[in-house]
């Protein structure tokens, strides 16, 4: 039985009781925390021990030390979970209201990470209107920031992928970053269109919250879970309907954003049986889908390595080059400039 290493004055019953009160957190939830709102525990040799005290000052060296020491499993008291969530959400709210002040690159790095942390909170409680509203407004502000700072996209991407967030929470942001870059390069969309498509792309997979995150790390999932995943696009639209400011045309894009992603074999079970082989007309839907496929393929998964960009673009060529030849050239040019510029 796992026990908590505390003072000898604490009884065995008290230690065991406290162990049942702890809930896991990610080490990344300590990012940008400068005044820790709760005690943090770790496990060593099967025993819980206090690793960070409440009100501790945390910096990158402390987080790096935890990671190097193998402290990937961290815990806080279940009753204090909301304190850490509120801390990050307050930070996110303040940051996205002041993106134009200070070093834009550092601000951008911070908001990308805080958005991803909050996305995890949203997936765990997708019916929470306050969490969704904060995520929506923050993503909206981020879209304006990225539109005004296209030159920062590459360094923001490189910094972000080094953080190794769970792919379920990272992919929506990566695909949306790529999408915004292509939209800006095309000069075919006004600022409001860019913002709405960024938001559409960012929230398109919220329906995947129907399955616990750890399930996505498994080599195999059950038939029932595959059915849930196959309906996640429709589920995403249902979750968002009437709760954020997206018109029906954008919810339709969300509903159809896996219309041909079955060609990327690790995404096969995301596509409803009735949609196999069908491509929904409309370049906006196609572009959202393509950016999602590329972001998925160039990112590693626990069950497969990352593909290279060349293979990803070869798949995109098979998907859209006949119907959208000029647009495909635009996508190739964008990624060539993004990944290979000197």
């Amino acid at each position: 039985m796992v026990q908590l290493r505390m003072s000898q004055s604490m009884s065995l019953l008290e230690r065991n009781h406290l162990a049942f009160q702890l809930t896991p957190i990610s080490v990344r939830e300590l990012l940008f925390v400068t005044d820790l709102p709760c005690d943090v525990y770790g496990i060593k040799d099967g025993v819980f021990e206090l690793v960070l005290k409440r009100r501790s000052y945390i910096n990158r060296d402390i987080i790096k030390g935890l990671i190097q020491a193998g402290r990937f499993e961290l815990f806080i008291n279940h009753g204090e979970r909301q304190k850490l969530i509120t801390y990050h959400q307050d930070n996110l709210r303040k940051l996205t209201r002041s993106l134009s002040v200070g070093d834009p690159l550092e601000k951008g790095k911070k908001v990308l990470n805080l958005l991803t942390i909050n996305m995890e909170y949203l997936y765990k409680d997708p019916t929470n209107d306050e969490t969704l509203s904060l995520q929506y407004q923050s993503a909206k502000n981020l879209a304006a920031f990225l539109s005004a700072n296209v030159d920062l996209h590459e360094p923001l991407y490189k910094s972000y992928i080094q953080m190794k967030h769970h792919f379920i929470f990272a992919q929506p942001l990566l695909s949306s970053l790529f999408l915004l870059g292509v939209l800006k390069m095309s000069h075919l969309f006004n600022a409001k269109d860019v913002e709405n498509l960024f938001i559409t792309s960012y929230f398109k997979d919220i329906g995947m919250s129907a399955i616990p995150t750890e399930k996505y790390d498994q080599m195999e999932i059950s038939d029932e879970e595959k059915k849930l995943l196959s309906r996640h696009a429709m589920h995403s639209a249902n979750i968002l309907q009437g709760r954020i400011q997206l018109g029906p045309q954008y919810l339709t894009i969300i509903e159809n954003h896996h219309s041909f992603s079955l060609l990327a074999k690790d995404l096969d079970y995301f596509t409803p049986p009735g949609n196999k082989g069908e491509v929904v007309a409309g370049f906006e839907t196609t572009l959202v889908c393509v950016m999602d496929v590329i972001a998925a393929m160039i990112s590693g998964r626990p069950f497969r390595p990352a593909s290279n960009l060349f293979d990803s673009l070869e798949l995109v060529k098979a998907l859209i080059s006949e119907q959208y030849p000029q647009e495909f050239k635009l996508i190739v040019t964008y990624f060539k400039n993004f990944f290979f510029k000197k």
Side-chain angles (χ1 to χ4, degrees):
M1 179 177 293
V2 178
Q3 299 174 8
L4 180 68
R5 183 175 291 144
M6 299 287 284
S7 66
Q8 293 300 316
S9 61
M10 181 177 286
S11 70
L12 178 61
L13 180 62
E14 288 174 320
R15 291 198 298 268
N16 289 341
H17 180 66
L18 182 57
F20 284 112
Q21 293 180 322
L22 298 179
T23 188
I25 65 168
S26 165
V27 68
R28 291 172 187 81
E29 289 186 71
L30 299 181
L31 288 167
F32 313 117
V33 174
T34 55
D35 185 18
L36 190 63
C38 51
D39 292 333
V40 175
Y41 303 90
I43 295 180
K44 185 176 182 180
D45 300 326
V47 179
F48 282 114
E49 63 178 7
L50 184 66
V51 293
L52 290 171
K53 292 183 179 180
R54 185 192 315 269
R55 302 305 174 198
S56 294
Y57 174 76
I58 300 176
N59 57 26
R60 288 183 176 272
D61 289 337
I62 290 174
I63 295 176
K64 184 178 179 180
L66 288 172
I67 294 174
Q68 290 177 339
R71 298 285 194 180
F72 299 108
E73 291 184 284
L74 297 175
F75 302 84
I76 60 176
N77 189 288
H78 179 75
E80 296 188 316
R81 184 74 174 99
Q82 187 57 46
K83 290 183 180 180
L84 187 58
I85 293 175
T86 300
Y87 185 99
H88 281 304
Q89 292 183 333
D90 286 345
N91 265 354
L92 178 60
R93 189 175 292 108
K94 293 173 184 176
L95 180 65
T96 53
R97 289 174 178 172
S98 62
L99 279 172
S100 61
V101 180
D103 185 334
L105 180 57
E106 291 306 311
K107 282 288 187 73
K109 290 178 181 179
K110 190 171 181 179
V111 75
L112 261 60
N113 284 293
L114 284 173
L115 261 175
T116 307
I117 290 170
N118 198 59
M119 180 66 95
E120 182 172 0
Y121 300 151
L122 181 60
Y123 271 49
K124 290 182 178 178
D125 189 8
T127 61
N128 188 310
D129 287 335
E130 185 176 351
T131 303
L132 176 62
S133 177
L134 172 61
Q135 195 74 351
Y136 167 75
Q137 189 59 53
S138 300
K140 184 177 177 180
N141 292 346
L142 176 62
F145 173 81
L146 292 174
S147 292
N149 295 277
V150 175
D151 59 316
L152 296 183
H153 290 197
E154 184 185 22
L156 285 174
Y157 167 79
K158 289 181 176 179
S159 171
Y160 182 75
I161 59 172
Q162 289 177 354
M163 303 308 297
K164 300 185 184 301
H165 290 285
H166 194 284
F167 65 88
I168 290 297
F169 311 120
Q171 184 171 323
L173 198 152
L174 290 176
S175 61
S176 302
L177 175 67
F178 297 155
L179 175 69
L180 189 145
V182 172
L183 294 175
K184 292 286 289 184
M185 179 177 281
S186 73
H187 302 291
L188 297 175
F189 300 86
N190 62 38
K192 191 61 179 178
D193 290 335
V194 171
E195 175 189 291
N196 283 331
L197 286 167
F198 181 89
I199 296 294
T200 298
S201 173
Y202 187 64
F203 286 101
K204 67 185 178 300
D205 288 324
I206 192 173
M208 294 176 70
S209 60
I211 295 179
T213 306
E214 58 268 18
K215 292 286 186 178
Y216 296 106
D217 296 327
Q218 298 176 183
M219 296 295 291
E220 294 289 340
I221 59 176
S222 70
D223 290 340
E224 183 59 32
E225 289 163 347
K226 286 182 180 180
K227 289 179 182 178
L228 284 173
L229 281 176
S230 74
R231 296 193 293 267
H232 89 271
M234 183 67 71
H235 188 38
S236 293
N238 290 338
I239 289 174
L240 299 171
Q241 179 74 45
R243 297 177 66 210
I244 63 174
Q245 296 178 23
L246 273 183
Q249 68 272 36
Y250 298 106
L251 293 176
T252 298
I253 291 174
I254 288 174
E255 291 174 354
N256 293 286
H257 78 272
H258 275 298
S259 56
F260 50 48
S261 62
L262 71 158
L263 294 180
K265 60 184 179 180
D266 67 304
L267 302 178
D268 185 40
Y269 48 73
F270 290 165
T271 307
N275 280 3
K276 292 201 172 185
E278 300 176 9
V279 176
V280 176
F283 181 60
E284 291 88 348
T285 301
T286 300
L287 191 55
V288 169
C289 183
V290 163
M291 294 301 107
D292 195 40
V293 169
I294 292 176
M297 291 185 68
I298 66 174
S299 303
R301 299 289 187 265
F303 44 83
R304 63 141 176 90
S307 299
N308 60 48
L309 180 61
F310 177 80
D311 289 341
S312 302
L313 291 175
E314 280 294 304
L315 174 59
V316 173
K317 180 179 180 180
L319 291 173
I320 72 168
S321 62
E322 289 188 11
Q323 186 175 7
Y324 298 106
Q326 296 305 314
E327 289 83 353
F328 172 67
K329 290 180 181 178
L330 173 68
I331 292 170
V332 171
T333 300
Y334 167 75
F335 280 103
K336 181 179 179 181
N337 290 340
F338 190 93
F339 284 100
F340 303 116
K341 68 181 181 181
K342 295 180 180 180

